[in-house]
């Protein structure tokens, strides 16, 4: 789904750039409400994990592969605003360092892969969680459905953008049919990855999963030797607050485990990923919408095409590039989210509190 330079004309690319910039500005403000001292480190890790898993193309049809987009996963784990920022950080790293996704098309890619997938996925997820029985299985099931629908939604968004500003004269009906068809299949792979990841985190630290913040145990009191639910009244506000589900692992252990997993996936498992073109590349070749594709501005980057320049061993070159990508993304993401968190802390300090201090 990474759109290269030349697919979309300059005016349309500029408009999507404005849309993307506006969405990022809104998300930076919204993320202040989503992030705290516990979840800010997780957000940087989520960005690195998405980068790693996007290197793992999986076969979906004859001669076609797909990979994770990540909008649903990020939105459910760390919140929709933070999710937009997570995927945007990944796209920036990929475009600048690895020549994956055009730089003039960065607005298109953020709009399509970060905004559309996150908004659609989280809207579907919240709708399902409200009607499903409260529990971990419902969170996982809702994650699966949300992820499935987010990918063809992104395909529809690309089709509309191409219809408005495509640089080749190809029937929009043919583009829509091909794009949506293959991305429905890719959506299934996205859903499996998303559901497994969300389910794993919910199982050990449900308190850190934004989408599971309502998955709490009712506060219970022991009265005359028996456990009873705490009363819910305005006079006893503590009774209205559910107790968090017990954590099975520490935040540090979760973070280290996630980082090591990301490094292994990007540095080793990625070598075995499918070499077939992804959905957009396949459709572009088959339908001829890649006739005006332009050379990437970072084509001469030392990490272009996910390999380290001058390292002749393909496995070592790809593995090193993956490890560098994960490391760069986790640092960049963590820096952004800690800055957002500190801004929230600064905003929480009222003038009255400062004067009294």
């Amino acid at each position: 789904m990474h759109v290269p330079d030349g697919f979309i004309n300059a005016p349309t690319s500029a408009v999507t750039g404005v849309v993307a910039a506006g969405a990022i500005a809104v998300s930076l403000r919204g993320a202040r409400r989503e992030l705290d001292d516990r979840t800010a480190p997780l957000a940087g890790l989520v960005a690195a994990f998405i980068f790693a898993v996007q290197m793992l193309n999986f076969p979906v049809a004859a001669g076609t592969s797909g990979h994770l987009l990540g909008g649903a996963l990020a939105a459910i784990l760390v919140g929709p605003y933070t999710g937009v920022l997570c995927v945007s950080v990944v796209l920036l790293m990929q475009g600048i360092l690895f020549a994956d996704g055009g730089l003039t098309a960065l607005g298109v890619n953020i709009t399509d892969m970060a905004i559309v997938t996150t908004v659609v996925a989280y809207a579907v997820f919240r709708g399902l969680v409200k009607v499903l029985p409260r529990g971990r299985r419902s969170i996982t099931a809702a994650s699966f459905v949300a992820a499935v629908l987010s990918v063809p939604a992104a395909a529809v968004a690309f089709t509309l953008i191409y219809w408005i500003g495509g640089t080749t004269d190809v029937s929009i009906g043919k583009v829509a049919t091909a794009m949506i068809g293959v991305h429905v299949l890719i959506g299934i792979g996205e859903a499996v990855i998303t559901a497994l990841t969300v389910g794993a985190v919910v199982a050990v630290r449900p308190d850190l999963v934004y989408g599971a913040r309502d998955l709490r145990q009712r506060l219970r009191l022991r009265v005359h030797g028996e456990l009873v639910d705490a009363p819910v009244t305005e006079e006893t506000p503590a009774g209205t607050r559910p107790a968090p589900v017990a954590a099975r692992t520490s935040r540090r252990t979760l973070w280290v485990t996630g980082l090591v997993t990301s490094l292994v996936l990007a540095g080793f498992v990625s070598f075995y990923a499918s070499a077939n073109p992804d959905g957009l590349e396949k459709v572009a070749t088959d339908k001829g919408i890649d006739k005006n594709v332009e050379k990437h501005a970072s084509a001469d980057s030392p990490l272009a095409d996910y390999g380290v320049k001058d390292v002749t061993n393909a496995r070592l070159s790809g593995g090193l590039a993956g490890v560098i990508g994960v490391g760069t993304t986790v640092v960049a993401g963590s820096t952004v989210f800690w800055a957002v968190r500190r801004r929230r802390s600064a905003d929480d300090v009222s003038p009255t509190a400062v004067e009294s201090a």
Side-chain angles (χ1 to χ4, degrees):
M1 194 71 76
H2 292 77
V3 179
D5 296 319
F7 274 25
I8 307 298
N9 63 31
T12 306
S13 296
V15 171
T16 56
V18 172
V19 171
I24 289 175
V26 171
S27 296
L28 285 169
R29 293 183 62 86
R32 297 181 198 173
R33 300 190 297 272
E34 295 173 347
L35 296 172
D36 55 31
D37 290 337
R38 299 178 308 146
T39 57
L42 179 63
L45 177 62
V46 168
F49 182 78
I50 290 173
F51 176 92
V53 180
Q54 282 197 3
M55 293 184 66
L56 308 181
N57 282 47
F58 48 85
V60 294
T64 310
S65 69
H67 62 71
L68 182 81
L69 297 185
L73 178 62
I76 295 166
L77 287 180
V78 293
Y81 293 108
T82 309
V84 169
L85 298 178
C86 281
V87 181
S88 297
V89 168
V90 173
L91 293 172
L92 281 169
M93 295 298 102
Q94 291 171 332
I96 295 173
L97 298 180
F98 297 91
D100 189 9
L103 296 184
T104 62
L106 189 58
V108 175
N109 286 321
I110 290 177
T111 300
D112 194 26
M113 296 177 64
I115 301 171
V116 172
T117 58
T118 301
V119 171
V120 171
Y122 195 71
V124 172
F125 175 81
R126 291 305 302 170
L128 290 174
V129 167
K130 289 181 179 179
V131 300
L132 292 173
R134 191 168 68 95
R136 294 174 180 173
R137 291 183 179 180
S138 295
I139 298 295
T140 303
S143 301
F144 185 94
V145 177
V148 164
L149 296 179
S150 70
V151 178
V156 171
F158 168 79
T159 303
L160 291 175
I161 293 172
Y162 176 80
W163 179 51
I164 296 170
T167 58
T168 53
D169 186 16
V170 179
S171 168
I172 191 65
K174 293 181 179 179
V175 175
T177 300
M179 283 293 292
I180 297 171
V182 72
H183 284 90
V184 167
L185 299 177
I186 295 173
I188 297 174
E190 175 107 7
V192 171
I193 296 170
T194 300
L196 288 175
T197 305
V198 171
V201 180
V202 167
V204 296
R205 287 303 299 257
D207 58 311
L208 297 181
V209 178
Y210 186 86
R213 64 194 188 283
D214 297 329
L215 185 61
R216 305 283 175 148
Q217 295 173 339
R218 189 59 172 275
L219 182 63
R220 310 193 78 190
L221 304 175
R222 185 174 296 279
V223 179
H224 302 302
E226 296 183 0
L227 289 175
V228 297
D229 289 339
V232 180
T233 64
E234 294 182 1
E235 289 74 19
T236 57
T240 67
R241 298 173 184 170
V245 179
R248 297 184 181 181
T249 187
S250 68
R251 280 182 288 156
R252 177 176 295 181
T253 300
L254 176 64
W255 197 91
V256 172
T257 301
L259 180 60
V260 170
T261 301
S262 300
L263 291 170
V264 170
L265 291 176
F268 177 73
V269 180
S270 62
F271 180 78
Y272 301 97
S274 174
N276 291 330
D278 65 24
L280 177 59
E281 291 175 323
K282 180 65 173 176
V283 171
T285 301
D286 290 348
K287 303 303 178 183
I289 66 176
D290 60 349
K291 294 179 181 178
N292 296 320
V293 66
E294 300 174 2
K295 182 180 178 180
H296 199 286
S298 299
D300 296 327
S301 165
L303 299 173
D305 297 325
Y306 298 94
V308 177
K309 188 176 181 180
D310 297 329
V311 177
T312 57
N313 184 288
R315 178 174 294 187
L316 179 60
S317 177
L320 287 174
V323 168
I324 293 171
V326 168
T328 304
T329 303
V330 76
V331 170
S334 297
T335 301
V336 170
F337 299 124
W338 273 116
V340 172
R341 170 58 187 156
R342 291 186 64 183
R343 181 63 182 271
R344 171 184 171 176
S345 299
D347 291 344
D348 289 343
V349 178
S350 65
T352 303
V354 172
E355 290 176 4
S356 62

